[in-house]
Short mmCIF file of all heavy atoms in Angstrom, two decimals:
data_model
loop_
_atom_site.label_atom_id
_atom_site.label_comp_id
_atom_site.label_asym_id
_atom_site.label_seq_id
_atom_site.Cartn_x
_atom_site.Cartn_y
_atom_site.Cartn_z
N THR N 691 0.82 -1.21 -0.04
CA THR N 691 0.00 0.01 0.05
C THR N 691 0.83 1.19 -0.05
O THR N 691 0.61 2.15 -0.77
CB THR N 691 -0.97 0.05 1.21
OG1 THR N 691 -1.63 -1.18 1.15
CG2 THR N 691 -1.82 1.18 1.25
N GLN N 692 1.92 1.32 0.88
CA GLN N 692 2.68 2.47 1.04
C GLN N 692 3.68 2.70 -0.06
O GLN N 692 3.95 3.83 -0.38
CB GLN N 692 3.37 2.51 2.38
CG GLN N 692 2.42 2.47 3.60
CD GLN N 692 1.51 3.67 3.68
OE1 GLN N 692 2.03 4.81 3.44
NE2 GLN N 692 0.28 3.55 3.84
N GLU N 693 4.28 1.63 -0.48
CA GLU N 693 5.43 1.76 -1.36
C GLU N 693 5.10 1.41 -2.90
O GLU N 693 5.79 1.88 -3.78
CB GLU N 693 6.53 0.77 -0.95
CG GLU N 693 6.98 0.94 0.53
CD GLU N 693 7.69 2.37 0.77
OE1 GLU N 693 8.21 2.96 -0.15
OE2 GLU N 693 7.73 2.69 1.99
N LEU N 694 4.08 0.62 -3.14
CA LEU N 694 3.87 0.25 -4.52
C LEU N 694 2.41 0.49 -4.91
O LEU N 694 1.96 -0.10 -6.01
CB LEU N 694 4.19 -1.32 -4.61
CG LEU N 694 5.61 -1.64 -4.49
CD1 LEU N 694 5.91 -3.22 -4.45
CD2 LEU N 694 6.50 -1.02 -5.59
N GLY N 695 1.66 1.33 -4.24
CA GLY N 695 0.28 1.58 -4.52
C GLY N 695 0.13 2.13 -5.86
O GLY N 695 -0.93 1.76 -6.55
N ASN N 696 0.95 2.92 -6.39
CA ASN N 696 0.77 3.54 -7.76
C ASN N 696 0.93 2.44 -8.79
O ASN N 696 0.30 2.51 -9.86
CB ASN N 696 1.79 4.64 -7.98
CG ASN N 696 1.61 5.88 -7.13
OD1 ASN N 696 0.48 6.09 -6.76
ND2 ASN N 696 2.72 6.47 -6.80
N TYR N 697 1.72 1.39 -8.56
CA TYR N 697 1.89 0.39 -9.54
C TYR N 697 0.89 -0.75 -9.39
O TYR N 697 0.53 -1.43 -10.37
CB TYR N 697 3.25 -0.15 -9.55
CG TYR N 697 4.36 0.76 -10.02
CD1 TYR N 697 5.72 0.50 -9.94
CD2 TYR N 697 4.05 1.93 -10.78
CE1 TYR N 697 6.69 1.38 -10.39
CE2 TYR N 697 5.01 2.75 -11.33
CZ TYR N 697 6.29 2.43 -11.08
OH TYR N 697 7.28 3.25 -11.61
N LEU N 698 0.59 -1.09 -8.20
CA LEU N 698 -0.29 -2.25 -7.95
C LEU N 698 -1.77 -1.87 -7.88
O LEU N 698 -2.58 -2.81 -7.81
CB LEU N 698 0.14 -3.02 -6.62
CG LEU N 698 1.49 -3.62 -6.71
CD1 LEU N 698 1.81 -4.26 -5.43
CD2 LEU N 698 1.62 -4.62 -7.81
N GLY N 699 -2.12 -0.62 -7.89
CA GLY N 699 -3.54 -0.27 -7.73
C GLY N 699 -4.09 -0.56 -6.32
O GLY N 699 -3.51 -0.10 -5.33
N ASN N 700 -5.20 -1.34 -6.27
CA ASN N 700 -5.89 -1.49 -5.11
C ASN N 700 -5.18 -2.60 -4.12
O ASN N 700 -5.68 -3.71 -4.09
CB ASN N 700 -7.27 -1.84 -5.27
CG ASN N 700 -8.15 -1.82 -3.96
OD1 ASN N 700 -7.67 -1.38 -2.93
ND2 ASN N 700 -9.38 -2.39 -4.07
N ALA N 701 -4.16 -2.16 -3.46
CA ALA N 701 -3.41 -3.11 -2.58
C ALA N 701 -4.24 -3.27 -1.29
O ALA N 701 -3.88 -4.14 -0.33
CB ALA N 701 -2.02 -2.64 -2.23
N GLN N 702 -5.34 -2.47 -1.08
CA GLN N 702 -6.18 -2.70 0.13
C GLN N 702 -7.02 -3.91 0.00
O GLN N 702 -7.60 -4.41 0.93
CB GLN N 702 -7.10 -1.38 0.25
CG GLN N 702 -6.34 -0.16 0.42
CD GLN N 702 -5.76 -0.02 1.88
OE1 GLN N 702 -6.01 -0.90 2.77
NE2 GLN N 702 -4.94 0.96 2.06
N ASP N 703 -7.19 -4.45 -1.24
CA ASP N 703 -8.14 -5.47 -1.48
C ASP N 703 -7.46 -6.83 -0.94
O ASP N 703 -6.44 -7.20 -1.24
CB ASP N 703 -8.21 -5.73 -3.04
CG ASP N 703 -9.11 -6.84 -3.39
OD1 ASP N 703 -9.57 -7.66 -2.54
OD2 ASP N 703 -9.36 -6.97 -4.60
N LYS N 704 -8.17 -7.35 0.09
CA LYS N 704 -7.63 -8.57 0.74
C LYS N 704 -7.30 -9.74 -0.18
O LYS N 704 -6.29 -10.39 0.00
CB LYS N 704 -8.65 -9.09 1.85
CG LYS N 704 -8.05 -10.25 2.67
CD LYS N 704 -9.18 -10.73 3.66
CE LYS N 704 -8.68 -11.85 4.52
NZ LYS N 704 -8.06 -13.00 3.82
N ASP N 705 -8.22 -9.94 -1.09
CA ASP N 705 -7.88 -11.05 -1.99
C ASP N 705 -6.66 -10.77 -2.86
O ASP N 705 -5.87 -11.77 -3.13
CB ASP N 705 -9.17 -11.23 -3.01
CG ASP N 705 -10.32 -11.82 -2.27
OD1 ASP N 705 -10.13 -12.40 -1.24
OD2 ASP N 705 -11.48 -11.58 -2.80
N ALA N 706 -6.44 -9.48 -3.25
CA ALA N 706 -5.25 -9.16 -3.98
C ALA N 706 -3.98 -9.40 -3.19
O ALA N 706 -3.00 -9.96 -3.71
CB ALA N 706 -5.32 -7.76 -4.50
N VAL N 707 -4.01 -9.00 -1.89
CA VAL N 707 -2.88 -9.19 -1.04
C VAL N 707 -2.66 -10.73 -0.85
O VAL N 707 -1.50 -11.15 -0.82
CB VAL N 707 -3.08 -8.52 0.30
CG1 VAL N 707 -1.97 -8.89 1.26
CG2 VAL N 707 -3.19 -7.00 0.16
N ASP N 708 -3.71 -11.50 -0.59
CA ASP N 708 -3.62 -12.85 -0.52
C ASP N 708 -2.97 -13.60 -1.69
O ASP N 708 -2.13 -14.48 -1.60
CB ASP N 708 -5.01 -13.57 -0.27
CG ASP N 708 -5.53 -13.37 1.16
OD1 ASP N 708 -4.78 -12.84 2.11
OD2 ASP N 708 -6.67 -13.60 1.33
N LYS N 709 -3.41 -13.10 -2.95
CA LYS N 709 -2.84 -13.57 -4.12
C LYS N 709 -1.28 -13.32 -4.22
O LYS N 709 -0.49 -14.15 -4.54
CB LYS N 709 -3.53 -13.09 -5.34
CG LYS N 709 -2.85 -13.51 -6.68
CD LYS N 709 -3.85 -13.64 -7.73
CE LYS N 709 -3.17 -13.97 -9.11
NZ LYS N 709 -2.05 -15.02 -9.12
N VAL N 710 -0.97 -12.08 -3.95
CA VAL N 710 0.44 -11.64 -3.97
C VAL N 710 1.25 -12.42 -3.01
O VAL N 710 2.30 -13.09 -3.31
CB VAL N 710 0.66 -10.18 -3.69
CG1 VAL N 710 2.14 -9.80 -3.53
CG2 VAL N 710 0.01 -9.32 -4.77
N MET N 711 0.74 -12.64 -1.81
CA MET N 711 1.37 -13.41 -0.72
C MET N 711 1.62 -14.89 -1.21
O MET N 711 2.59 -15.47 -1.10
CB MET N 711 0.66 -13.38 0.55
CG MET N 711 1.15 -14.26 1.61
SD MET N 711 2.73 -13.91 2.27
CE MET N 711 2.34 -12.80 3.57
N GLY N 712 0.55 -15.50 -1.78
CA GLY N 712 0.51 -16.90 -2.27
C GLY N 712 1.59 -17.01 -3.39
O GLY N 712 2.32 -18.00 -3.49
N ASP N 713 1.60 -16.10 -4.31
CA ASP N 713 2.52 -16.11 -5.45
C ASP N 713 3.91 -15.91 -5.00
O ASP N 713 4.94 -16.62 -5.53
CB ASP N 713 2.23 -15.06 -6.45
CG ASP N 713 0.85 -15.28 -7.22
OD1 ASP N 713 0.37 -16.40 -7.12
OD2 ASP N 713 0.45 -14.31 -7.80
N LEU N 714 4.24 -15.08 -3.98
CA LEU N 714 5.57 -14.78 -3.55
C LEU N 714 6.18 -15.83 -2.53
O LEU N 714 7.32 -16.22 -2.52
CB LEU N 714 5.64 -13.43 -2.84
CG LEU N 714 5.45 -12.23 -3.71
CD1 LEU N 714 5.57 -10.97 -2.88
CD2 LEU N 714 6.53 -12.23 -4.82
N ASP N 715 5.25 -16.37 -1.75
CA ASP N 715 5.60 -17.26 -0.67
C ASP N 715 6.03 -18.68 -1.12
O ASP N 715 5.38 -19.65 -0.94
CB ASP N 715 4.53 -17.35 0.44
CG ASP N 715 5.03 -18.14 1.64
OD1 ASP N 715 6.23 -18.34 1.76
OD2 ASP N 715 4.10 -18.46 2.41
N ALA N 716 7.26 -18.68 -1.83
CA ALA N 716 7.63 -19.97 -2.50
C ALA N 716 7.78 -21.11 -1.54
O ALA N 716 7.48 -22.18 -1.90
CB ALA N 716 8.99 -19.65 -3.27
N ASN N 717 8.13 -20.94 -0.31
CA ASN N 717 8.42 -22.03 0.66
C ASN N 717 7.15 -22.22 1.54
O ASN N 717 7.15 -23.08 2.45
CB ASN N 717 9.66 -21.75 1.48
CG ASN N 717 9.53 -20.45 2.26
OD1 ASN N 717 8.64 -19.76 2.30
ND2 ASN N 717 10.66 -20.24 3.02
N ASN N 718 6.01 -21.52 1.22
CA ASN N 718 4.80 -21.70 1.96
C ASN N 718 4.94 -21.71 3.46
O ASN N 718 4.25 -22.35 4.21
CB ASN N 718 4.19 -23.08 1.51
CG ASN N 718 3.71 -23.09 0.13
OD1 ASN N 718 3.10 -22.16 -0.38
ND2 ASN N 718 4.12 -24.20 -0.53
N ASP N 719 5.66 -20.68 3.94
CA ASP N 719 5.76 -20.49 5.37
C ASP N 719 4.88 -19.37 5.84
O ASP N 719 4.87 -19.01 7.12
CB ASP N 719 7.18 -20.31 5.84
CG ASP N 719 7.80 -18.96 5.31
OD1 ASP N 719 7.14 -18.31 4.53
OD2 ASP N 719 8.97 -18.68 5.72
N GLY N 720 4.03 -18.78 5.05
CA GLY N 720 3.20 -17.73 5.44
C GLY N 720 3.82 -16.41 5.55
O GLY N 720 3.21 -15.30 6.09
N GLU N 721 5.08 -16.26 5.23
CA GLU N 721 5.81 -15.04 5.23
C GLU N 721 6.66 -14.81 3.97
O GLU N 721 6.90 -15.75 3.23
CB GLU N 721 6.72 -15.01 6.42
CG GLU N 721 5.93 -15.05 7.78
CD GLU N 721 6.88 -14.90 9.06
OE1 GLU N 721 8.05 -15.32 9.01
OE2 GLU N 721 6.28 -14.37 9.97
N VAL N 722 7.07 -13.62 3.72
CA VAL N 722 7.78 -13.26 2.53
C VAL N 722 9.22 -12.90 2.96
O VAL N 722 9.33 -11.84 3.85
CB VAL N 722 7.21 -12.11 1.72
CG1 VAL N 722 8.08 -11.61 0.57
CG2 VAL N 722 5.81 -12.50 1.19
N ASP N 723 10.19 -13.69 2.54
CA ASP N 723 11.54 -13.30 2.94
C ASP N 723 12.19 -12.34 1.96
O ASP N 723 11.49 -11.91 0.98
CB ASP N 723 12.41 -14.54 3.18
CG ASP N 723 12.67 -15.29 1.86
OD1 ASP N 723 12.52 -14.84 0.76
OD2 ASP N 723 12.99 -16.50 2.05
N PHE N 724 13.40 -11.92 2.14
CA PHE N 724 13.95 -10.84 1.29
C PHE N 724 14.13 -11.32 -0.14
O PHE N 724 13.75 -10.57 -1.13
CB PHE N 724 15.40 -10.46 1.84
CG PHE N 724 15.92 -9.27 0.99
CD1 PHE N 724 15.44 -8.03 1.16
CD2 PHE N 724 16.99 -9.49 0.15
CE1 PHE N 724 15.93 -6.97 0.49
CE2 PHE N 724 17.47 -8.46 -0.60
CZ PHE N 724 17.01 -7.16 -0.41
N THR N 725 14.45 -12.65 -0.41
CA THR N 725 14.58 -13.13 -1.72
C THR N 725 13.11 -13.05 -2.47
O THR N 725 13.13 -12.63 -3.57
CB THR N 725 15.08 -14.57 -1.68
OG1 THR N 725 16.37 -14.55 -1.10
CG2 THR N 725 15.24 -15.22 -3.09
N GLU N 726 12.22 -13.49 -1.80
CA GLU N 726 10.86 -13.43 -2.32
C GLU N 726 10.42 -12.05 -2.53
O GLU N 726 9.76 -11.76 -3.66
CB GLU N 726 9.88 -14.12 -1.36
CG GLU N 726 10.17 -15.68 -1.22
CD GLU N 726 9.42 -16.39 -0.09
OE1 GLU N 726 9.16 -15.60 1.03
OE2 GLU N 726 9.16 -17.48 -0.09
N PHE N 727 10.74 -11.15 -1.82
CA PHE N 727 10.52 -9.61 -1.97
C PHE N 727 11.15 -9.12 -3.27
O PHE N 727 10.56 -8.52 -4.05
CB PHE N 727 11.04 -8.89 -0.72
CG PHE N 727 11.10 -7.40 -0.91
CD1 PHE N 727 9.91 -6.53 -0.96
CD2 PHE N 727 12.30 -6.80 -0.99
CE1 PHE N 727 10.06 -5.25 -1.13
CE2 PHE N 727 12.40 -5.37 -1.12
CZ PHE N 727 11.21 -4.61 -1.21
N ILE N 728 12.41 -9.59 -3.40
CA ILE N 728 13.21 -9.09 -4.59
C ILE N 728 12.58 -9.65 -5.88
O ILE N 728 12.55 -9.05 -6.90
CB ILE N 728 14.68 -9.56 -4.43
CG1 ILE N 728 15.27 -8.54 -3.44
CG2 ILE N 728 15.47 -9.35 -5.77
CD1 ILE N 728 15.25 -7.11 -3.56
N ILE N 729 12.01 -10.90 -5.86
CA ILE N 729 11.37 -11.38 -6.97
C ILE N 729 10.13 -10.47 -7.40
O ILE N 729 9.98 -10.31 -8.57
CB ILE N 729 10.94 -12.85 -6.73
CG1 ILE N 729 12.22 -13.78 -6.60
CG2 ILE N 729 9.91 -13.42 -7.72
CD1 ILE N 729 11.94 -15.15 -6.06
N LEU N 730 9.40 -10.13 -6.30
CA LEU N 730 8.27 -9.21 -6.61
C LEU N 730 8.76 -7.93 -7.30
O LEU N 730 8.24 -7.52 -8.22
CB LEU N 730 7.50 -8.76 -5.33
CG LEU N 730 6.53 -7.69 -5.40
CD1 LEU N 730 5.35 -8.08 -6.32
CD2 LEU N 730 6.04 -7.31 -3.93
N VAL N 731 9.74 -7.30 -6.60
CA VAL N 731 10.23 -5.99 -7.25
C VAL N 731 10.84 -6.23 -8.66
O VAL N 731 10.59 -5.41 -9.55
CB VAL N 731 11.38 -5.43 -6.31
CG1 VAL N 731 11.98 -4.24 -6.98
CG2 VAL N 731 10.80 -5.02 -4.97
N GLY N 732 11.48 -7.31 -8.89
CA GLY N 732 11.97 -7.62 -10.19
C GLY N 732 10.91 -7.83 -11.22
O GLY N 732 10.97 -7.37 -12.38
N ALA N 733 9.94 -8.59 -10.87
CA ALA N 733 8.81 -8.92 -11.73
C ALA N 733 8.06 -7.49 -12.08
O ALA N 733 7.57 -7.34 -13.28
CB ALA N 733 7.77 -9.86 -11.12
N LEU N 734 7.88 -6.76 -11.08
CA LEU N 734 7.16 -5.43 -11.33
C LEU N 734 8.06 -4.53 -12.23
O LEU N 734 7.56 -3.81 -13.13
CB LEU N 734 6.94 -4.65 -10.09
CG LEU N 734 5.73 -5.11 -9.23
CD1 LEU N 734 5.66 -4.48 -7.86
CD2 LEU N 734 4.41 -4.86 -10.01
N THR N 735 9.33 -4.59 -12.08
CA THR N 735 10.28 -3.84 -12.83
C THR N 735 10.27 -4.23 -14.26
O THR N 735 10.14 -3.38 -15.26
CB THR N 735 11.64 -3.83 -12.31
OG1 THR N 735 11.66 -3.38 -10.93
CG2 THR N 735 12.67 -2.95 -13.04
N VAL N 736 10.18 -5.60 -14.54
CA VAL N 736 10.08 -6.07 -15.92
C VAL N 736 8.79 -5.64 -16.49
O VAL N 736 8.78 -5.28 -17.73
CB VAL N 736 10.21 -7.51 -15.83
CG1 VAL N 736 9.84 -8.26 -17.20
CG2 VAL N 736 11.58 -8.06 -15.55
#
């Protein structure tokens, strides 16, 4: 919401956040680590 709102649109949408979390959380631990975060930033940059 705070850092990528202009690029992601409605980051307030719970389903959208759940989808991003599911897509990023490669090891399914319910959290996003730095590597998973960089994958998000890289994909958005592409």
Side-chain angles (χ1 to χ4, degrees):
T691 303
Q692 297 298 316
E693 306 292 339
L694 295 169
N696 291 330
Y697 286 169
L698 293 179
N700 189 8
Q702 298 287 352
D703 181 354
K704 183 185 180 312
D705 291 338
V707 174
D708 287 345
K709 174 148 178 41
V710 171
M711 174 66 90
D713 291 346
L714 290 179
D715 185 16
N717 60 2
N718 294 314
D719 65 354
E721 298 188 325
V722 173
D723 64 22
F724 186 74
T725 300
E726 293 164 335
F727 165 75
I728 290 300
I729 290 168
L730 168 66
V731 173
L734 281 172
T735 304
V736 168

